[in-house]
Amino acid sequence: MIDLFISAFVTLFVVIDPPGCAPIYASLTTGASAAQRRSMAIRATLIAGGILIFFAMFGEALLGFLHIDLDSFRIAGGIMLFIIAIDMVFEKRTERREQRAEKIKATPEVEDVSVFPMAMPMLAGPGSIASVMLLVSQNNGIERAFVIFGALLLVLLLTLAALLAAGPLMRLIGHKGEAVITRLLGVLLAALAAQFVIDGLKASFPTLT
């Protein structure tokens, strides 16, 4: 159970990437008051948590309804996560997030960024949805599901803390520190993504083993 918790925590932490979301949130909420920033951070985290828990609980049933095999989803999810990992290593992901933030800032009527783009797609994006579904599908049983939800809760709490401390955090680590952290997390994510693909291929083609 401890190994499962650590594995789930590392996977979700790397994909959701609280250190990477903090500077984007800081730039999106430049003109907001401290109370508004706190409110939007809490709301974004809660909404993202709700989306991820929904897909963790009902994602497999949704795949069944669409006649998509779970092993196919494992392979597709692994490839998707690997692409995200490459973007993280070469800083393309941060660049896209910053461009998205600039677009939102350029739209005067958009004030509340908690739902879009923070909750979705930044926190509960395709990568994190795929990850939580894969983790739950690979670990049957209520106890294991609660362990995964516990890891998700911890990651969301750390994400909330990062958003609340976005301004001071950015001044502390700086852009170079953020770049180093992002690249290290990207390498870890690439290894985890490769494992998802290997597991999916083994299940789809038993003769390979």
Side-chain angles (χ1 to χ4, degrees):
M1 288 296 181
I2 294 175
D3 289 341
L4 174 60
F5 181 86
I6 294 172
S7 174
F9 174 80
V10 170
T11 303
L12 294 171
F13 185 87
V14 167
V15 176
I16 294 175
D17 187 20
C21 292
I24 305 302
Y25 183 72
S27 67
L28 285 172
T29 57
T30 303
S33 66
Q36 287 173 325
R37 286 197 299 269
R38 184 167 57 251
S39 175
M40 284 189 285
I42 294 171
R43 192 156 52 247
T45 307
L46 288 174
I47 293 170
I51 293 170
L52 293 174
I53 289 172
F54 173 82
F55 277 98
M57 294 176 66
F58 305 110
E60 192 171 348
L62 181 62
L63 289 180
F65 178 76
L66 296 173
H67 304 290
I68 299 173
D69 189 73
L70 189 58
D71 295 320
S72 300
F73 188 80
R74 281 195 184 99
I75 296 169
I79 293 171
M80 186 186 304
L81 293 178
F82 193 80
I83 292 171
I84 292 173
I86 292 174
D87 286 349
M88 289 173 70
V89 172
F90 293 101
E91 289 210 309
K92 296 294 183 183
R93 192 185 187 200
T94 302
E95 183 181 327
R96 281 202 302 270
R97 278 177 165 174
E98 288 174 349
Q99 289 173 352
R100 191 182 295 134
E102 289 300 320
K103 287 181 181 179
I104 297 298
K105 287 170 69 177
T107 311
E109 64 270 16
V110 178
E111 295 180 359
D112 189 349
V113 298
S114 59
V115 178
F116 176 84
M118 288 310 305
M120 196 171 185
M122 287 192 179
L123 300 182
S128 52
I129 289 173
S131 297
V132 77
M133 284 181 62
L134 289 170
L135 285 167
V136 171
S137 67
Q138 287 177 334
N139 295 278
N140 297 322
I142 296 176
E143 290 183 358
R144 288 180 169 270
F146 275 117
V147 170
I148 294 168
F149 288 147
L152 174 61
L153 177 61
L154 180 56
V155 172
L156 290 174
L157 288 174
L158 291 174
T159 303
L160 176 59
L163 297 183
L164 292 174
L169 190 64
M170 279 310 298
R171 287 194 294 271
L172 179 65
I173 66 174
H175 289 292
K176 289 185 179 179
E178 181 203 345
V180 171
I181 293 171
T182 299
R183 283 190 168 96
L184 287 173
L185 293 177
V187 173
L188 286 174
L189 181 59
L192 291 166
Q195 190 61 54
F196 279 146
V197 174
I198 290 169
D199 291 343
L201 288 173
K202 282 183 177 179
S204 299
F205 304 100
T207 53
L208 293 176
T209 57

